[in-house]
Amino acid sequence: MNDDELLRYARQIMLPAIGIEGQERLHRAHAVVMGVGGLGSPVAAYLAAAGVGRLTLVDPDHVEASNLQRQILHGEADLGADKVASGARRIAALNSTCRVETRAERLDADAMRALFAGADVVLDGTDHFAARGAINRAAVATGTPLVSGAVIRFEGQLTTFDFRDPQAACYHCLYGDEGADEDTCATSGVLASLPGVVGSLQATEALKLLAGLPTLAGRLLLIDGLHMQFREIGLQRDPACPVCGDPP
Protein backbone atom coordinates (compact mmCIF):
# COMPACT_ATOMS: atom_id res chain seq x y z
CA MET A 1 0.00 0.00 0.00
CA ASN A 2 1.55 3.31 -1.10
CA ASP A 3 1.47 6.66 0.69
CA ASP A 4 -1.49 7.97 -1.34
CA GLU A 5 -3.56 4.94 -0.40
CA LEU A 6 -2.57 5.19 3.25
CA LEU A 7 -3.78 8.78 3.25
CA ARG A 8 -6.95 8.07 1.31
CA TYR A 9 -8.11 5.24 3.56
CA ALA A 10 -6.60 6.54 6.81
CA ARG A 11 -9.95 6.95 8.61
CA GLN A 12 -10.79 3.33 7.85
CA ILE A 13 -7.33 1.89 8.50
CA MET A 14 -7.27 3.42 11.99
CA LEU A 15 -10.18 1.19 12.98
CA PRO A 16 -8.61 -1.67 14.96
CA ALA A 17 -10.99 -4.14 13.33
CA ILE A 18 -9.80 -3.09 9.85
CA GLY A 19 -6.19 -1.92 9.95
CA ILE A 20 -3.83 -2.24 7.00
CA GLU A 21 -4.49 -5.95 6.67
CA GLY A 22 -8.23 -5.42 6.36
CA GLN A 23 -7.74 -2.61 3.86
CA GLU A 24 -5.56 -4.85 1.74
CA ARG A 25 -8.25 -7.53 1.85
CA LEU A 26 -10.71 -5.00 0.48
CA HIS A 27 -8.28 -4.04 -2.27
CA ARG A 28 -7.99 -7.69 -3.35
CA ALA A 29 -11.74 -8.31 -3.25
CA HIS A 30 -14.20 -8.71 -6.10
CA ALA A 31 -17.81 -7.69 -5.49
CA VAL A 32 -20.66 -8.27 -7.94
CA VAL A 33 -23.51 -5.73 -7.82
CA MET A 34 -26.71 -7.08 -9.33
CA GLY A 35 -28.80 -4.08 -10.29
CA VAL A 36 -27.47 -0.52 -10.52
CA GLY A 37 -30.62 1.26 -9.40
CA GLY A 38 -31.85 2.59 -6.07
CA LEU A 39 -30.02 0.00 -3.98
CA GLY A 40 -27.11 -0.67 -6.32
CA SER A 41 -26.20 3.01 -6.56
CA PRO A 42 -25.14 3.52 -2.91
CA VAL A 43 -23.80 -0.04 -2.78
CA ALA A 44 -21.41 0.52 -5.69
CA ALA A 45 -20.44 4.02 -4.61
CA TYR A 46 -19.54 3.06 -1.05
CA LEU A 47 -17.71 -0.12 -2.02
CA ALA A 48 -15.59 1.86 -4.47
CA ALA A 49 -15.01 4.69 -2.00
CA ALA A 50 -13.99 2.22 0.71
CA GLY A 51 -11.32 0.69 -1.52
CA VAL A 52 -12.82 -2.52 -2.89
CA GLY A 53 -10.49 -3.28 -5.76
CA ARG A 54 -12.86 -4.79 -8.33
CA LEU A 55 -16.56 -4.30 -9.01
CA THR A 56 -18.75 -5.96 -11.60
CA LEU A 57 -21.96 -4.07 -12.32
CA VAL A 58 -24.82 -6.07 -13.85
CA ASP A 59 -27.99 -4.41 -15.15
CA PRO A 60 -29.76 -4.66 -18.54
CA ASP A 61 -31.70 -1.41 -18.14
CA HIS A 62 -31.22 2.16 -19.35
CA VAL A 63 -31.48 5.34 -17.27
CA GLU A 64 -34.98 6.81 -17.29
CA ALA A 65 -36.31 10.05 -15.84
CA SER A 66 -38.26 8.19 -13.14
CA ASN A 67 -34.99 6.67 -11.87
CA LEU A 68 -33.43 10.00 -10.91
CA GLN A 69 -35.56 10.41 -7.77
CA ARG A 70 -33.53 7.73 -5.96
CA GLN A 71 -30.81 6.21 -8.19
CA ILE A 72 -27.99 8.54 -7.23
CA LEU A 73 -25.28 7.15 -9.52
CA HIS A 74 -27.18 8.58 -12.49
CA GLY A 75 -27.95 12.15 -13.53
CA GLU A 76 -29.91 14.01 -16.17
CA ALA A 77 -27.01 13.79 -18.62
CA ASP A 78 -27.21 9.98 -18.41
CA LEU A 79 -30.81 9.65 -19.62
CA GLY A 80 -31.00 6.85 -22.17
CA ALA A 81 -27.57 5.44 -21.31
CA ASP A 82 -26.94 1.93 -20.02
CA LYS A 83 -27.13 2.03 -16.23
CA VAL A 84 -23.90 0.06 -15.94
CA ALA A 85 -22.07 2.55 -18.18
CA SER A 86 -23.43 5.52 -16.25
CA GLY A 87 -22.52 3.86 -12.96
CA ALA A 88 -19.02 3.01 -14.15
CA ARG A 89 -18.38 6.63 -15.11
CA ARG A 90 -19.41 7.89 -11.68
CA ILE A 91 -17.31 5.29 -9.91
CA ALA A 92 -14.27 6.15 -12.05
CA ALA A 93 -14.66 9.78 -11.01
CA LEU A 94 -14.98 8.73 -7.38
CA ASN A 95 -12.06 6.28 -7.26
CA SER A 96 -9.95 5.74 -10.36
CA THR A 97 -8.09 2.81 -8.75
CA CYS A 98 -11.26 0.69 -8.58
CA ARG A 99 -11.47 -1.71 -11.50
CA VAL A 100 -15.03 -1.68 -12.85
CA GLU A 101 -16.44 -4.26 -15.23
CA THR A 102 -19.92 -3.97 -16.73
CA ARG A 103 -22.53 -6.41 -17.99
CA ALA A 104 -25.44 -4.64 -19.68
CA GLU A 105 -27.46 -7.81 -20.03
CA ARG A 106 -29.82 -10.14 -18.22
CA LEU A 107 -27.63 -13.06 -17.15
CA ASP A 108 -28.90 -16.60 -17.42
CA ALA A 109 -28.23 -19.21 -14.73
CA ASP A 110 -24.99 -20.46 -16.25
CA ALA A 111 -23.60 -16.94 -16.71
CA MET A 112 -24.48 -16.01 -13.13
CA ARG A 113 -22.79 -19.09 -11.73
CA ALA A 114 -19.66 -18.40 -13.79
CA LEU A 115 -19.56 -14.79 -12.61
CA PHE A 116 -20.29 -15.53 -8.94
CA ALA A 117 -17.68 -18.30 -8.81
CA GLY A 118 -14.97 -15.67 -9.24
CA ALA A 119 -16.43 -13.19 -6.72
CA ASP A 120 -16.01 -12.76 -2.98
CA VAL A 121 -19.50 -11.34 -2.41
CA VAL A 122 -22.67 -10.71 -4.40
CA LEU A 123 -25.02 -7.83 -3.58
CA ASP A 124 -28.62 -8.09 -4.78
CA GLY A 125 -30.18 -4.76 -5.67
CA THR A 126 -32.86 -6.10 -8.02
CA ASP A 127 -36.58 -5.57 -7.48
CA HIS A 128 -38.24 -8.63 -9.01
CA PHE A 129 -38.84 -11.90 -7.20
CA ALA A 130 -37.80 -14.05 -10.17
CA ALA A 131 -34.45 -12.26 -10.43
CA ARG A 132 -33.85 -12.56 -6.70
CA GLY A 133 -34.58 -16.26 -6.81
CA ALA A 134 -32.19 -16.81 -9.71
CA ILE A 135 -29.43 -14.84 -7.97
CA ASN A 136 -29.97 -16.85 -4.79
CA ARG A 137 -29.76 -20.17 -6.65
CA ALA A 138 -26.53 -19.16 -8.37
CA ALA A 139 -24.99 -17.95 -5.09
CA VAL A 140 -25.96 -21.18 -3.32
CA ALA A 141 -24.48 -23.23 -6.17
CA THR A 142 -21.13 -21.39 -6.00
CA GLY A 143 -21.05 -20.89 -2.21
CA THR A 144 -20.66 -17.13 -2.68
CA PRO A 145 -21.96 -14.92 0.17
CA LEU A 146 -25.03 -12.91 -0.81
CA VAL A 147 -26.07 -9.58 0.73
CA SER A 148 -29.76 -9.05 0.03
CA GLY A 149 -31.63 -5.77 0.41
CA ALA A 150 -35.16 -4.73 -0.52
CA VAL A 151 -37.27 -1.57 -0.30
CA ILE A 152 -40.91 -0.67 -0.95
CA ARG A 153 -42.92 2.38 0.11
CA PHE A 154 -41.43 3.27 3.56
CA GLU A 155 -40.17 -0.23 4.36
CA GLY A 156 -36.84 -1.98 3.95
CA GLN A 157 -35.28 -5.38 4.62
CA LEU A 158 -31.69 -6.52 4.82
CA THR A 159 -29.77 -9.71 5.50
CA THR A 160 -26.60 -11.58 4.58
CA PHE A 161 -26.68 -15.18 3.42
CA ASP A 162 -23.18 -16.55 4.01
CA PHE A 163 -23.09 -19.80 2.07
CA ARG A 164 -19.59 -20.58 3.29
CA ASP A 165 -21.49 -21.97 6.28
CA PRO A 166 -23.22 -25.20 5.19
CA GLN A 167 -26.02 -24.50 7.67
CA ALA A 168 -26.77 -21.02 6.33
CA ALA A 169 -30.34 -20.22 5.31
CA CYS A 170 -30.96 -18.96 1.78
CA TYR A 171 -33.43 -16.53 0.22
CA HIS A 172 -35.82 -19.36 -0.67
CA CYS A 173 -35.81 -20.58 2.95
CA LEU A 174 -37.13 -17.16 3.91
CA TYR A 175 -39.63 -16.41 1.14
CA GLY A 176 -40.31 -19.69 -0.63
CA ASP A 177 -42.43 -19.14 -3.73
CA GLU A 178 -44.66 -16.50 -2.14
CA GLY A 179 -43.22 -13.49 -3.91
CA ALA A 180 -44.22 -14.34 -7.46
CA ASP A 181 -46.75 -11.49 -7.59
CA GLU A 182 -45.00 -9.10 -5.21
CA ASP A 183 -45.26 -5.33 -5.28
CA THR A 184 -42.41 -3.31 -6.76
CA CYS A 185 -41.36 0.32 -6.50
CA ALA A 186 -42.82 0.86 -9.98
CA THR A 187 -46.27 -0.22 -8.80
CA SER A 188 -46.28 0.89 -5.15
CA GLY A 189 -43.72 3.70 -4.90
CA VAL A 190 -40.80 4.28 -2.55
CA LEU A 191 -39.47 7.20 -0.52
CA ALA A 192 -36.44 8.65 -2.34
CA SER A 193 -33.97 8.29 0.52
CA LEU A 194 -34.94 4.79 1.68
CA PRO A 195 -32.90 2.91 -0.96
CA GLY A 196 -29.94 4.98 0.18
CA VAL A 197 -30.43 3.77 3.76
CA VAL A 198 -30.73 0.10 2.83
CA GLY A 199 -28.07 0.26 0.11
CA SER A 200 -25.61 1.83 2.53
CA LEU A 201 -26.32 -0.94 5.01
CA GLN A 202 -25.77 -3.51 2.26
CA ALA A 203 -22.38 -1.96 1.53
CA THR A 204 -21.59 -2.02 5.25
CA GLU A 205 -22.44 -5.73 5.42
CA ALA A 206 -20.23 -6.46 2.39
CA LEU A 207 -17.28 -4.48 3.77
CA LYS A 208 -17.52 -6.31 7.10
CA LEU A 209 -17.75 -9.66 5.37
CA LEU A 210 -14.73 -8.93 3.16
CA ALA A 211 -12.75 -7.75 6.19
CA GLY A 212 -13.65 -10.87 8.18
CA LEU A 213 -15.99 -9.14 10.65
CA PRO A 214 -19.40 -10.30 11.98
CA THR A 215 -22.42 -9.75 9.72
CA LEU A 216 -26.20 -10.10 9.82
CA ALA A 217 -25.96 -13.76 8.77
CA GLY A 218 -28.77 -15.65 10.50
CA ARG A 219 -30.81 -12.49 11.12
CA LEU A 220 -33.20 -10.39 9.03
CA LEU A 221 -33.27 -6.64 9.70
CA LEU A 222 -36.67 -4.99 9.17
CA ILE A 223 -36.79 -1.22 8.72
CA ASP A 224 -39.90 0.93 9.18
CA GLY A 225 -38.84 4.24 7.68
CA LEU A 226 -42.13 5.97 8.38
CA HIS A 227 -41.90 5.47 12.16
CA MET A 228 -38.09 5.06 12.14
CA GLN A 229 -38.14 1.70 13.86
CA PHE A 230 -35.70 -1.18 13.37
CA ARG A 231 -36.26 -4.75 14.47
CA GLU A 232 -34.77 -8.11 13.59
CA ILE A 233 -35.87 -11.71 13.42
CA GLY A 234 -33.80 -14.88 13.39
CA LEU A 235 -33.37 -16.99 10.25
CA GLN A 236 -32.90 -20.73 10.11
CA ARG A 237 -32.13 -22.96 7.17
CA ASP A 238 -35.01 -25.12 5.99
CA PRO A 239 -33.67 -28.69 5.61
CA ALA A 240 -36.40 -29.33 3.02
CA CYS A 241 -35.62 -26.19 0.99
CA PRO A 242 -35.47 -27.12 -2.71
CA VAL A 243 -32.53 -24.73 -3.24
CA CYS A 244 -30.20 -25.29 -0.28
CA GLY A 245 -31.82 -28.14 1.66
CA ASP A 246 -30.54 -31.62 2.34
CA PRO A 247 -30.76 -34.08 -0.56
CA PRO A 248 -33.55 -36.66 -0.19
Side-chain angles (χ1 to χ4, degrees), residues 28-47:
R28 294 191 299 268
H30 176 202
V32 174
V33 181
M34 300 296 291
V36 194
L39 294 171
S41 287
V43 162
Y46 272 114
L47 293 184

Side-chain angles (χ1 to χ4, degrees), residues 9 15 18 98 139 170-171 179 196 200 206 215:
Y9 304 116
L15 297 172
I18 301 292
C98 180
C170 79
Y171 186 84
S200 297
T215 69

Side-chain angles (χ1 to χ4, degrees), residues 190-215:
V190 64
L191 185 68
S193 57
L194 188 62
V197 173
V198 177
S200 297
L201 291 174
Q202 281 185 270
T204 301
E205 281 291 285
L207 292 172
K208 291 190 298 174
L209 186 146
L210 295 171
L213 301 177
T215 69

Side-chain angles (χ1 to χ4, degrees), residues 153-156 191 194 222-230:
R153 295 179 287 268
F154 293 90
E155 303 157 17
L191 185 68
L194 188 62
L222 303 173
I223 300 166
D224 177 349
L226 185 60
H227 301 98
M228 203 51 70
Q229 295 177 342
F230 292 69

Side-chain angles (χ1 to χ4, degrees), residues 33-153:
V33 181
M34 300 296 291
V36 194
L39 294 171
S41 287
V43 162
Y46 272 114
L47 293 184
V52 173
R54 180 183 172 195
L55 297 180
T56 299
L57 309 181
V58 182
D59 197 314
D61 294 337
H62 300 86
V63 180
E64 300 177 357
S66 61
N67 301 149
L68 303 184
Q69 167 248 14
R70 64 200 178 281
Q71 299 183 16
I72 59 173
L73 274 188
H74 316 299
E76 294 177 355
D78 301 311
L79 290 172
D82 290 342
K83 286 186 179 179
V84 292
S86 171
R89 285 193 294 270
R90 292 291 293 271
I91 291 170
L94 179 66
N95 188 348
S96 62
T97 68
C98 180
R99 176 183 170 191
V100 182
E101 300 162 0
T102 60
R103 302 283 294 269
E105 57 187 307
R106 198 176 307 278
L107 302 183
D108 62 21
D110 290 340
M112 270 195 280
R113 285 194 296 268
L115 177 60
F116 294 0
D120 299 291
V121 64
V122 176
L123 297 106
D124 185 356
T126 60
D127 61 357
H128 293 285
F129 184 78
R132 290 178 173 275
I135 291 167
N136 177 67
R137 289 191 294 273
V140 170
T142 57
T144 310
L146 171 63
V147 182
S148 178
V151 292
I152 192 75
R153 295 179 287 268

